[in-house]
Amino acid sequence: QKEVEQDPGPLSVPEGAIVSLNCTYSNSAFQYFMWYRQYSRKGPELLMYTYSSGNKEDGRFTAQVDKSSKYISLFIRDSQPSDSATYLCAMYGQNFVFGPGTRLSVLP
Amino acid sequence: DTEVTQTPKHLVMGMTNKKSLKCEQHMGHRAMYWYKQKAKKPPELMFVYSYEKLSINESVPSRFSPECPNSSLLNLHLHALQPEDSALYLCASSQAAGEEQYFGPGTRLTVT
C-alpha cells in the first residue's frame, strides 16, 4: 500500500460544478496537510495548508482533514475553466510525501 | 512575496557536459529543497537543506551535486547525466523543514 493515495482521475466537470478531490494516507505520523495546484509545465502552487482536523476555507476552496479516518479532501466551489490543472495533496510527518495527483478539467 | 526563482528555464545538455541549476528565494526561509518531476508524476524529493546544511539526500546518484552557498541560494550541479535524467527540476523553500513549501517554476532539463 502506498503511503498516500489519491483519487486517480482524470476528472471532467462542467463550469460551475462543485469539485471534490480526495486523498487517503496510511501513516499516522503525518500531521501537516497541503494541497497544491500545478498547471502544465509549471511548478506546483500552494493552495491550502492545514494541520488540524476540520475545515479550512479560502475563497472558493475548502480543505477538510479527518485524521481519525486518515482522509483529506479539497472542495472547489463554482469551478472555472482556469481551475483546470493537476491537484496534488501533500503531507508531512517524519517525511514529506506527495500524492500522485488528480488531473481536473473544467469544461466551459 | 512568496516567490522562488529558478534559472535557467530550459536547459539542453549532452552527457559529457557540466552545468548548474540555480534557485533563489528572499523570504527568509531556512529550508530549501530540490525535486525531480517526470511527466504525469508527482515531484520526487532529491535533497533538503536546513539552515544551509544538507539534511536529506534521497539516495540520489552522485552525478547530481547540491550546494547551498547561503541561506537564499541553492544550486544543483550536474555532470555526466543520462537521457533518463531529463525532467522538470523544481526548487522549493519553506520557513523551516516540514512547513508548507513554496515552489519555483522549475528548469526543464533535456539530456541528449
Side-chain angles (χ1 to χ4, degrees), chain B residues 3-74:
Chain B
E3 190 178 28
V4 176
T5 59
Q6 288 187 245
T7 55
K9 285 188 168 56
H10 302 276
L11 178 62
V12 179
M13 61 186 289
M15 289 189 284
T16 58
N17 291 160
K18 282 186 183 181
K19 296 285 185 185
S20 296
L21 308 184
K22 297 186 184 303
C23 174
E24 190 165 4
Q25 57 87 14
H26 293 289
M27 296 178 277
H29 288 176
R30 303 315 300 263
M32 297 185 76
Y33 312 76
W34 279 115
Y35 287 86
K36 172 182 176 181
Q37 187 176 29
K38 302 283 264 185
K40 298 187 180 181
K41 297 288 187 183
E44 297 173 37
L45 184 64
M46 300 174 72
F47 301 104
V48 181
Y49 272 83
S50 183
Y51 290 86
E52 299 159 51
K53 291 191 184 340
L54 184 63
S55 61
I56 295 177
N57 175 342
E58 292 284 357
S59 303
V60 178
S62 60
R63 58 186 184 268
F64 296 92
S65 174
E67 180 198 16
C68 188
N70 61 54
S71 60
S72 300
L73 293 174
L74 187 66

Side-chain angles (χ1 to χ4, degrees), chain A residues 65-100:
Chain A
V65 173
D66 183 346
K67 288 186 178 179
S68 62
S69 300
K70 297 192 180 66
Y71 187 90
I72 68 171
S73 297
L74 179 71
F75 298 97
I76 307 174
R77 289 183 298 282
D78 187 24
S79 55
Q80 302 294 310
S82 57
D83 295 327
S84 299
T86 296
Y87 289 80
L88 297 151
C89 65
M91 41 198 84
Y92 179 79
Q94 294 157 336
N95 57 327
F96 190 92
V97 179
F98 277 98

Side-chain angles (χ1 to χ4, degrees), chain A residues 32 34 36 38 40-46 49 88 92 94-96 98-101, chain B residues 10 35 37 40-43 45 88 90 97-106 108:
Chain A
Y32 304 93
M34 288 141 275
Y36 287 86
Q38 187 173 24
S40 182
R41 307 176 81 84
K42 302 287 187 186
E45 172 193 4
L46 180 67
Y49 172 72
L88 297 151
Y92 179 79
Q94 294 157 336
N95 57 327
F96 190 92
F98 277 98
Chain B
H10 302 276
Y35 287 86
Q37 187 176 29
K40 298 187 180 181
K41 297 288 187 183
L45 184 64
L88 181 67
L90 293 160
E99 298 193 9
E100 67 269 33
Q101 296 178 24
Y102 294 87
F103 284 80
R108 186 155 297 280

Side-chain angles (χ1 to χ4, degrees), chain A residues 51-70:
Chain A
Y51 54 85
S52 56
S53 283
N55 292 354
K56 180 177 180 180
E57 193 172 314
D58 185 359
R60 295 184 296 112
F61 299 94
T62 300
Q64 190 174 77
V65 173
D66 183 346
K67 288 186 178 179
S68 62
S69 300
K70 297 192 180 66

